[in-house]
Amino acid sequence: MAKYKRIGRSNAINYIEEKYGFTPTVRDVSNTFPELSVPDFWPTPKEDVIVSMEYEGKEFTVEITGAGKSLEGADDYQKDEIIDSLTTYLITNYPSVEEVVFPSFEENWSLFSPKFEGENYNDLVTNNIYSDVILKICEPDVNDFPIEKLKSELDFDSISIINYNDNQKMPSPNTNIYLSGSGYGIDEIMPYISQYLWYYNPNEEGSEPYLTTVYTTYYDSLVICSESDEPVIVEPNTEPPTYDMDAANETLISSYRIRSNQDNFIICVPIQDTDKGTALAVTNSNGYSYLREDNADYISLNSYMVSNREDDTSEYEYSSLIYIVSRNEEE
């Protein structure tokens, strides 16, 4: 509504003047709308508005009500400064921390109500709608991290502590995947880590951290990662392919039979061990392909273990067959 925009524009200017002591230039004002499970082609705007502003070449955003006069809002004017300073604080005060990620703070929509005064970190954490932190360490045991000290100093909504095998290779988990009770999606980073500790609402009564331990099996160039310590056996497969590779324009590089009493783990094929000029793929017994992603270190696939045949005398309950192939590009 035009009324919300008009009032919100004035509120945003007054809010910034009150908070920071300067008068910004308004670049744009837009309404906000409720998130609806059912599409609405004529939605009613909410009372809050988004005001795009600029001051001395720096662009930033304010969210504030447009329903009436108010100085209560939130903005991202200091966001970069907050992230940089809080990162430095955590690395300085927790020496085992190698890298820090703030999944929510680093998003474009993350805004802050309190003014950053240089040390009021907990005000910023507790007054943000989402405050999550990922701490990357490279230590013998994630349980040695002083998490009780951290949660008493900074009341994050969630704390993730990921223990890496090498401090030179610390890719972040998939923060777009959130598994209730166990944290972010770690399938893509399992070859790089040994432990993942997830602590949701750490200061809430009854809350307990959840620890995932990654068990890794190496065979030739394969890296197999699991959350279970159940053994995984890898053997070369010498039987002919189970599908027509010629019809698929593929050439077999190697093949493996994988057996286990568990049926869920990640199989990783390192790309650096192959010809980077080759269209590399990993296929299963049905010819289903898992293609290389740009800039990835591995082709990763879920095991999708299948039960052994009745005539299979293996002592293991499940088995899986994979092929590493080069794919001939059609001209």
Side-chain angles (χ1 to χ4, degrees):
M1 292 175 59
K3 174 187 174 182
Y4 290 163
K5 288 184 177 182
R6 184 179 69 254
I7 296 174
R9 181 184 190 279
S10 176
N11 284 343
I13 293 173
N14 293 334
Y15 162 79
I16 292 296
E17 289 178 339
E18 174 75 15
K19 185 173 181 179
Y20 298 116
F22 62 78
T23 302
T25 299
V26 175
R27 302 176 69 247
D28 184 58
V29 183
S30 59
N31 293 113
T32 60
F33 295 89
E35 295 183 4
L36 302 173
S37 57
V38 179
D40 185 346
F41 295 103
W42 294 277
T44 301
K46 298 194 296 183
E47 294 180 349
D48 287 353
V49 297
I50 300 296
V51 185
S52 299
M53 314 187 93
E54 183 268 335
Y55 179 71
E56 294 186 345
K58 182 175 182 176
E59 297 179 2
F60 57 98
T61 300
V62 172
E63 182 173 359
I64 200 164
T65 184
K69 188 175 180 180
S70 176
L71 291 176
E72 295 183 6
D75 66 277
D76 59 2
Y77 180 75
Q78 293 181 300
K79 184 168 77 169
D80 291 343
E81 181 184 356
I82 291 168
I83 291 174
D84 290 345
S85 184
L86 187 49
T87 297
T88 299
Y89 174 84
L90 288 167
I91 291 175
T92 300
N93 288 273
Y94 298 87
S96 62
V97 174
E98 301 275 353
E99 296 180 17
V100 181
V101 177
F102 302 101
S104 50
F105 288 178
E106 293 170 10
E107 294 289 341
N108 291 333
W109 45 260
S110 186
L111 307 175
F112 300 87
S113 293
K115 181 181 179 181
F116 178 45
E117 304 285 359
E119 295 183 351
N120 58 326
Y121 299 116
N122 202 44
D123 290 341
L124 301 165
V125 168
T126 56
N127 283 280
N128 201 281
I129 297 177
Y130 303 104
S131 60
D132 309 290
V133 65
I134 298 172
L135 304 179
K136 301 180 181 183
I137 66 174
C138 187
E139 296 290 327
D141 191 345
V142 72
N143 292 297
D144 294 334
F145 186 87
I147 197 166
E148 293 298 319
K149 173 188 173 186
L150 175 60
K151 75 173 193 176
S152 68
E153 292 181 348
L154 297 168
D155 190 14
F156 286 104
D157 290 337
S158 74
I159 299 171
S160 292
I161 305 175
I162 306 178
N163 202 4
Y164 288 80
N165 303 318
D166 183 350
N167 63 3
Q168 300 301 308
K169 276 283 186 180
M170 292 184 154
S172 296
N174 187 345
T175 56
N176 293 317
I177 297 176
Y178 172 80
L179 305 176
S180 178
S182 60
Y184 298 119
I186 62 170
D187 284 3
E188 297 170 8
I189 66 168
M190 286 181 78
Y192 306 95
I193 72 174
S194 59
Q195 295 169 305
Y196 173 30
L197 188 145
W198 161 261
Y199 208 167
Y200 182 69
N201 282 339
N203 285 309
E204 186 175 282
E205 185 176 356
S207 178
E208 295 290 340
Y210 181 89
L211 177 63
T212 297
T213 299
V214 177
Y215 298 89
T216 304
T217 300
Y218 300 93
Y219 186 88
D220 286 350
S221 62
L222 298 186
V223 183
I224 299 179
C225 304
S226 170
E227 296 179 23
S228 167
D229 62 355
E230 183 69 41
V232 177
I233 306 302
V234 185
E235 300 170 334
N237 175 56
T238 57
E239 297 179 3
T242 54
Y243 68 96
D244 189 346
M245 289 192 175
D246 289 336
N249 291 314
E250 294 173 351
T251 301
L252 180 65
I253 297 174
S254 56
S255 176
Y256 300 92
R257 172 72 65 182
I258 303 170
R259 292 184 170 91
S260 182
N261 286 326
Q262 61 166 310
D263 62 351
N264 184 25
F265 47 83
I266 305 297
I267 303 168
C268 306
V269 180
I271 290 171
Q272 60 266 30
D273 291 344
T274 65
D275 180 0
K276 291 183 181 293
T278 301
L280 181 71
V282 178
T283 60
N284 63 12
S285 58
N286 296 317
Y288 184 88
S289 298
Y290 303 83
L291 297 175
R292 182 177 74 195
E293 296 181 3
D294 290 341
N295 301 319
D297 291 323
Y298 297 92
I299 297 177
S300 300
L301 59 151
N302 288 96
S303 59
Y304 295 114
M305 301 294 280
V306 296
S307 297
N308 286 331
R309 302 185 304 271
E310 290 184 3
D311 59 349
D312 192 330
T313 59
S314 169
E315 62 182 289
Y316 298 100
E317 186 175 356
Y318 302 100
S319 67
S320 183
L321 184 64
I322 67 167
Y323 301 102
I324 301 173
V325 302
S326 62
R327 182 157 294 161
N328 305 313
E329 302 290 348
E330 296 183 0
E331 297 184 359

